[in-house]
Amino acid sequence: MAFVFSSAFRKQGLFVPFLNAVRGMSSSGGPTPPFTTLSVSRPVDTVTHVEICRPEKRNAMNKAFWLEMVDCFNQIAEDSKCRVVVFSGAGKLFTSGIDLMGMASDILQPEGDDTARISWNVRRTIAKYQETFTVIEKCPKPVIVAVHGACIGGGVDLITACDIRLCTQDAWFQVKEVDIGLAADVGTLQRLPRVIGSRSLVNELAFTARKMHADEAKSCGLVSRVFPDKEAMMAGALEMAGEIASKSPVAVQGTKVNLVYSRDHSVADSLDYMSTWNMSMLQTQDLMKSAQAAMEKKSLKEIIFSKL
Protein backbone atom coordinates (compact mmCIF):
# COMPACT_ATOMS: atom_id res chain seq x y z
CA MET A 1 0.00 0.00 0.00
CA ALA A 2 1.57 3.29 -1.05
CA PHE A 3 1.79 6.06 1.54
CA VAL A 4 0.34 9.46 0.70
CA PHE A 5 1.05 12.51 2.82
CA SER A 6 -2.18 14.16 3.91
CA SER A 7 -3.07 17.54 2.46
CA ALA A 8 -3.26 18.92 6.00
CA PHE A 9 0.51 18.55 6.39
CA ARG A 10 1.14 20.36 3.10
CA LYS A 11 -1.35 23.17 3.75
CA GLN A 12 -0.01 23.89 7.23
CA GLY A 13 3.61 24.04 6.08
CA LEU A 14 4.52 20.92 8.07
CA PHE A 15 5.71 18.82 5.13
CA VAL A 16 9.46 19.56 5.37
CA PRO A 17 9.66 19.40 9.20
CA PHE A 18 7.62 16.21 8.98
CA LEU A 19 10.09 14.63 6.53
CA ASN A 20 13.01 15.68 8.73
CA ALA A 21 11.32 14.05 11.72
CA VAL A 22 10.78 10.84 9.75
CA ARG A 23 14.44 10.75 8.68
CA GLY A 24 15.44 11.15 12.32
CA MET A 25 13.20 8.26 13.31
CA SER A 26 14.61 6.00 10.61
CA SER A 27 18.28 6.35 11.52
CA SER A 28 19.04 5.85 15.19
CA GLY A 29 22.37 7.07 16.53
CA GLY A 30 22.41 4.36 19.19
CA PRO A 31 20.92 3.93 22.67
CA THR A 32 20.20 7.11 24.63
CA PRO A 33 21.51 7.27 28.22
CA PRO A 34 20.69 6.04 30.77
CA PHE A 35 19.36 3.25 28.55
CA THR A 36 21.63 0.70 26.92
CA THR A 37 19.03 -1.08 24.77
CA LEU A 38 16.60 1.73 23.89
CA SER A 39 16.81 4.94 21.92
CA VAL A 40 14.26 7.55 23.04
CA SER A 41 13.65 10.72 21.04
CA ARG A 42 11.03 13.40 20.45
CA PRO A 43 10.51 13.70 16.64
CA VAL A 44 7.79 16.28 17.29
CA ASP A 45 6.86 18.01 20.54
CA THR A 46 3.98 15.73 21.57
CA VAL A 47 5.23 12.40 20.17
CA THR A 48 7.84 10.15 21.79
CA HIS A 49 9.72 7.63 19.65
CA VAL A 50 11.07 4.54 21.45
CA GLU A 51 13.33 2.22 19.48
CA ILE A 52 14.83 -1.16 20.39
CA CYS A 53 18.45 -0.40 19.67
CA ARG A 54 20.60 -3.54 19.55
CA PRO A 55 20.92 -3.91 15.77
CA GLU A 56 24.20 -5.81 16.04
CA LYS A 57 22.31 -8.45 18.09
CA ARG A 58 19.21 -8.42 15.88
CA ASN A 59 17.46 -6.44 18.64
CA ALA A 60 17.43 -9.51 20.89
CA MET A 61 15.91 -8.85 24.31
CA ASN A 62 18.62 -9.13 26.96
CA LYS A 63 18.39 -8.62 30.75
CA ALA A 64 18.83 -4.87 30.50
CA PHE A 65 16.00 -4.54 27.96
CA TRP A 66 13.42 -6.12 30.28
CA LEU A 67 14.25 -3.64 33.05
CA GLU A 68 14.71 -0.57 30.84
CA MET A 69 11.32 -0.97 29.16
CA VAL A 70 9.59 -0.65 32.53
CA ASP A 71 11.58 2.45 33.47
CA CYS A 72 11.05 3.98 30.03
CA PHE A 73 7.29 3.55 29.89
CA ASN A 74 6.79 4.60 33.51
CA GLN A 75 8.57 7.84 32.63
CA ILE A 76 6.45 8.28 29.49
CA ALA A 77 3.27 7.72 31.49
CA GLU A 78 4.23 10.67 33.71
CA ASP A 79 5.46 12.90 30.86
CA SER A 80 2.78 15.59 30.45
CA LYS A 81 4.23 16.69 27.09
CA CYS A 82 3.96 13.25 25.49
CA ARG A 83 0.56 12.37 23.99
CA VAL A 84 1.46 9.46 21.70
CA VAL A 85 4.28 6.89 21.48
CA VAL A 86 5.72 5.33 18.33
CA PHE A 87 7.70 2.13 18.96
CA SER A 88 10.05 0.54 16.39
CA GLY A 89 13.26 -1.44 15.98
CA ALA A 90 16.67 -0.29 14.72
CA GLY A 91 18.55 -2.03 11.95
CA LYS A 92 17.38 -4.74 9.56
CA LEU A 93 14.54 -6.20 11.64
CA PHE A 94 12.18 -5.44 14.52
CA THR A 95 13.39 -8.11 16.96
CA SER A 96 14.64 -11.69 17.02
CA GLY A 97 13.01 -12.15 20.44
CA ILE A 98 14.58 -13.22 23.71
CA ASP A 99 18.38 -13.20 24.00
CA LEU A 100 18.81 -16.83 25.08
CA MET A 101 22.52 -16.48 25.88
CA GLY A 102 21.98 -13.36 27.94
CA MET A 103 18.98 -14.78 29.81
CA ALA A 104 20.27 -18.32 30.33
CA SER A 105 21.06 -17.90 34.03
CA ASP A 106 17.55 -16.70 34.90
CA ILE A 107 15.84 -19.37 32.80
CA LEU A 108 18.09 -22.41 33.16
CA GLN A 109 19.78 -21.81 36.53
CA PRO A 110 17.17 -20.35 38.90
CA GLU A 111 18.14 -19.85 42.53
CA GLY A 112 16.73 -21.96 45.35
CA ASP A 113 17.58 -24.76 47.80
CA ASP A 114 14.66 -27.01 46.90
CA THR A 115 11.80 -27.38 44.44
CA ALA A 116 9.50 -24.99 46.33
CA ARG A 117 12.08 -22.23 46.56
CA ILE A 118 13.25 -22.67 42.97
CA SER A 119 9.64 -22.52 41.78
CA TRP A 120 8.92 -19.46 43.90
CA ASN A 121 11.86 -17.62 42.34
CA VAL A 122 10.99 -18.71 38.80
CA ARG A 123 7.42 -17.45 39.24
CA ARG A 124 8.71 -14.12 40.55
CA THR A 125 11.08 -13.81 37.59
CA ILE A 126 8.32 -14.55 35.06
CA ALA A 127 6.03 -11.98 36.71
CA LYS A 128 8.82 -9.40 36.43
CA TYR A 129 9.24 -10.12 32.72
CA GLN A 130 5.46 -9.97 32.18
CA GLU A 131 5.48 -6.42 33.58
CA THR A 132 7.89 -5.40 30.79
CA PHE A 133 5.01 -5.49 28.29
CA THR A 134 2.09 -4.92 30.66
CA VAL A 135 3.61 -1.50 31.32
CA ILE A 136 2.76 -0.60 27.70
CA GLU A 137 -0.91 -1.30 28.39
CA LYS A 138 -0.79 0.58 31.68
CA CYS A 139 0.70 3.66 29.99
CA PRO A 140 -2.28 5.95 29.23
CA LYS A 141 -0.65 7.27 26.04
CA PRO A 142 -1.60 5.38 22.85
CA VAL A 143 1.31 3.27 21.56
CA ILE A 144 1.73 2.74 17.81
CA VAL A 145 4.16 -0.09 17.03
CA ALA A 146 5.88 -0.18 13.62
CA VAL A 147 7.26 -3.59 12.63
CA HIS A 148 9.71 -4.28 9.80
CA GLY A 149 11.37 -7.59 8.98
CA ALA A 150 11.17 -10.31 11.63
CA CYS A 151 9.07 -10.10 14.79
CA ILE A 152 9.84 -13.29 16.68
CA GLY A 153 8.91 -14.72 20.07
CA GLY A 154 9.02 -11.91 22.62
CA GLY A 155 8.38 -9.46 19.80
CA VAL A 156 4.85 -10.87 19.44
CA ASP A 157 4.36 -10.52 23.20
CA LEU A 158 5.42 -6.89 22.87
CA ILE A 159 3.28 -5.86 19.90
CA THR A 160 0.10 -7.45 21.26
CA ALA A 161 0.36 -5.10 24.24
CA CYS A 162 0.44 -2.07 21.90
CA ASP A 163 -2.65 -0.17 20.75
CA ILE A 164 -2.06 0.12 16.99
CA ARG A 165 0.11 -2.23 14.93
CA LEU A 166 1.64 -1.31 11.55
CA CYS A 167 4.10 -3.30 9.47
CA THR A 168 6.08 -3.37 6.24
CA GLN A 169 5.39 -5.71 3.35
CA ASP A 170 8.48 -7.76 4.25
CA ALA A 171 7.45 -8.20 7.91
CA TRP A 172 6.74 -11.61 9.38
CA PHE A 173 5.62 -12.79 12.80
CA GLN A 174 6.39 -15.99 14.68
CA VAL A 175 5.24 -17.35 18.04
CA LYS A 176 8.53 -19.20 18.42
CA GLU A 177 8.43 -20.45 22.01
CA VAL A 178 7.40 -24.09 21.39
CA ASP A 179 10.49 -24.48 19.20
CA ILE A 180 12.71 -23.72 22.19
CA GLY A 181 10.80 -25.97 24.59
CA LEU A 182 8.48 -23.64 26.48
CA ALA A 183 5.04 -22.06 26.37
CA ALA A 184 5.00 -18.30 25.71
CA ASP A 185 4.63 -16.76 29.16
CA VAL A 186 4.80 -12.96 28.91
CA GLY A 187 1.60 -12.08 27.07
CA THR A 188 1.16 -13.69 23.65
CA LEU A 189 -1.15 -16.51 24.76
CA GLN A 190 -3.29 -14.06 26.73
CA ARG A 191 -3.46 -11.11 24.30
CA LEU A 192 -3.17 -12.62 20.82
CA PRO A 193 -6.59 -14.37 21.00
CA ARG A 194 -8.18 -11.01 21.81
CA VAL A 195 -6.29 -9.27 19.00
CA ILE A 196 -7.00 -11.78 16.23
CA GLY A 197 -10.31 -13.19 17.42
CA SER A 198 -9.81 -16.63 15.81
CA ARG A 199 -8.88 -19.23 18.41
CA SER A 200 -8.13 -21.72 15.65
CA LEU A 201 -5.57 -19.44 14.03
CA VAL A 202 -3.99 -18.49 17.36
CA ASN A 203 -3.71 -22.17 18.31
CA GLU A 204 -2.17 -23.00 14.93
CA LEU A 205 0.45 -20.25 15.26
CA ALA A 206 1.27 -21.16 18.88
CA PHE A 207 1.44 -24.95 18.34
CA THR A 208 3.35 -24.97 15.03
CA ALA A 209 5.58 -21.86 15.40
CA ARG A 210 5.05 -21.18 11.70
CA LYS A 211 5.69 -17.76 10.21
CA MET A 212 2.82 -15.38 9.50
CA HIS A 213 3.61 -12.88 6.75
CA ALA A 214 2.33 -9.33 6.35
CA ASP A 215 -0.67 -10.02 4.12
CA GLU A 216 -2.02 -12.69 6.45
CA ALA A 217 -1.32 -10.46 9.47
CA LYS A 218 -3.41 -7.73 7.83
CA SER A 219 -6.27 -10.04 6.85
CA CYS A 220 -6.59 -11.53 10.35
CA GLY A 221 -6.38 -8.18 12.12
CA LEU A 222 -2.98 -8.47 13.78
CA VAL A 223 -1.95 -5.27 11.97
CA SER A 224 -4.18 -2.54 10.62
CA ARG A 225 -1.91 -1.24 7.82
CA VAL A 226 0.87 -2.61 5.64
CA PHE A 227 3.46 -0.28 4.05
CA PRO A 228 5.89 -0.96 1.18
CA ASP A 229 9.03 -0.22 3.22
CA LYS A 230 10.27 1.06 6.56
CA GLU A 231 10.58 4.70 5.54
CA ALA A 232 6.96 4.79 4.37
CA MET A 233 5.86 2.99 7.52
CA MET A 234 7.65 5.40 9.85
CA ALA A 235 6.15 8.32 7.93
CA GLY A 236 2.72 6.74 8.28
CA ALA A 237 3.25 6.07 11.99
CA LEU A 238 4.37 9.65 12.63
CA GLU A 239 1.47 11.17 10.72
CA MET A 240 -0.98 8.94 12.59
CA ALA A 241 0.67 9.89 15.88
CA GLY A 242 0.41 13.57 14.95
CA GLU A 243 -3.28 13.18 14.17
CA ILE A 244 -3.93 11.53 17.55
CA ALA A 245 -1.75 14.07 19.38
CA SER A 246 -3.78 16.95 17.92
CA LYS A 247 -6.86 15.85 19.84
CA SER A 248 -7.76 16.38 23.49
CA PRO A 249 -5.40 14.35 25.69
CA VAL A 250 -8.24 13.98 28.19
CA ALA A 251 -10.36 12.34 25.48
CA VAL A 252 -7.60 10.20 23.96
CA GLN A 253 -6.11 8.88 27.20
CA GLY A 254 -9.56 8.30 28.67
CA THR A 255 -10.44 6.34 25.54
CA LYS A 256 -7.38 4.07 25.93
CA VAL A 257 -8.06 3.41 29.61
CA ASN A 258 -11.65 2.44 28.91
CA LEU A 259 -10.81 0.31 25.85
CA VAL A 260 -8.38 -1.76 27.93
CA TYR A 261 -10.89 -2.00 30.78
CA SER A 262 -13.74 -3.09 28.52
CA ARG A 263 -11.60 -5.84 26.95
CA ASP A 264 -11.31 -7.53 30.33
CA HIS A 265 -14.78 -6.87 31.79
CA SER A 266 -18.43 -7.38 30.94
CA VAL A 267 -20.41 -4.79 28.98
CA ALA A 268 -22.39 -3.90 32.10
CA ASP A 269 -19.27 -3.44 34.25
CA SER A 270 -17.57 -1.45 31.49
CA LEU A 271 -20.54 0.89 31.08
CA ASP A 272 -20.58 1.48 34.82
CA TYR A 273 -16.85 2.22 34.81
CA MET A 274 -17.32 4.54 31.83
CA SER A 275 -20.04 6.57 33.55
CA THR A 276 -17.89 6.91 36.67
CA TRP A 277 -14.92 7.94 34.53
CA ASN A 278 -16.77 10.56 32.51
CA MET A 279 -18.66 12.09 35.43
CA SER A 280 -15.40 13.97 36.07
CA MET A 281 -13.72 13.90 32.65
CA LEU A 282 -16.66 15.63 30.94
CA GLN A 283 -15.93 18.65 33.11
CA THR A 284 -13.03 19.72 30.92
CA GLN A 285 -12.41 22.78 28.79
CA ASP A 286 -11.30 20.42 26.03
CA LEU A 287 -14.92 19.53 25.33
CA MET A 288 -15.91 23.15 24.65
CA LYS A 289 -12.74 23.80 22.64
CA SER A 290 -13.36 20.77 20.44
CA ALA A 291 -17.03 21.62 19.94
CA GLN A 292 -16.19 25.22 19.03
CA ALA A 293 -13.56 24.06 16.54
CA ALA A 294 -16.14 21.80 14.89
CA MET A 295 -18.69 24.63 14.62
CA GLU A 296 -16.08 26.97 13.19
CA LYS A 297 -14.82 24.24 10.82
CA LYS A 298 -11.30 24.51 12.27
CA SER A 299 -8.76 21.71 12.42
CA LEU A 300 -7.98 20.48 15.95
CA LYS A 301 -4.33 21.08 15.05
CA GLU A 302 -5.14 24.80 15.46
CA ILE A 303 -6.48 24.31 19.00
CA ILE A 304 -4.18 24.40 22.04
CA PHE A 305 -5.07 21.80 24.64
CA SER A 306 -3.44 21.93 28.06
CA LYS A 307 -0.92 19.26 29.05
CA LEU A 308 -2.18 16.26 30.97
Side-chain angles (χ1 to χ4, degrees), residues 154-225:
V156 179
D157 294 288
L158 189 160
I159 68 168
T160 53
C162 297
D163 302 296
I164 299 171
R165 287 167 294 278
L166 314 176
C167 77
T168 55
Q169 189 63 55
D170 70 348
W172 53 273
F173 307 83
Q174 187 176 26
V175 184
K176 183 71 171 172
E177 282 80 356
V178 294
D179 276 354
I180 57 173
L182 57 92
D185 56 6
V186 290
T188 288
L189 302 185
Q190 293 70 39
R191 296 187 177 100
L192 190 58
R194 290 174 166 86
V195 170
I196 291 179
S198 168
R199 279 280 175 176
S200 177
L201 179 55
V202 171
N203 293 347
E204 178 191 342
L205 294 170
F207 295 152
T208 67
R210 75 165 175 84
K211 296 178 181 179
M212 171 188 278
H213 294 279
D215 290 342
E216 185 181 3
K218 173 70 162 57
S219 66
C220 77
L222 179 59
V223 301
S224 54
R225 298 191 191 181

Side-chain angles (χ1 to χ4, degrees), residues 15 30 40 42 52 104 108 111 125 137 175 181 208 223-224 235 249 259 263 279:
F15 188 61
V40 182
R42 190 65 64 85
I52 310 177
L108 302 177
E111 295 181 358
T125 298
E137 272 184 348
V175 184
T208 67
V223 301
S224 54
L259 282 170
R263 182 198 63 190
M279 73 183 187

Side-chain angles (χ1 to χ4, degrees), residues 222-244:
L222 179 59
V223 301
S224 54
R225 298 191 191 181
V226 178
F227 295 85
D229 53 44
K230 186 178 181 182
E231 184 177 5
M233 176 181 65
M234 297 309 296
L238 184 56
E239 183 171 11
M240 185 183 294
E243 184 69 27
I244 295 170

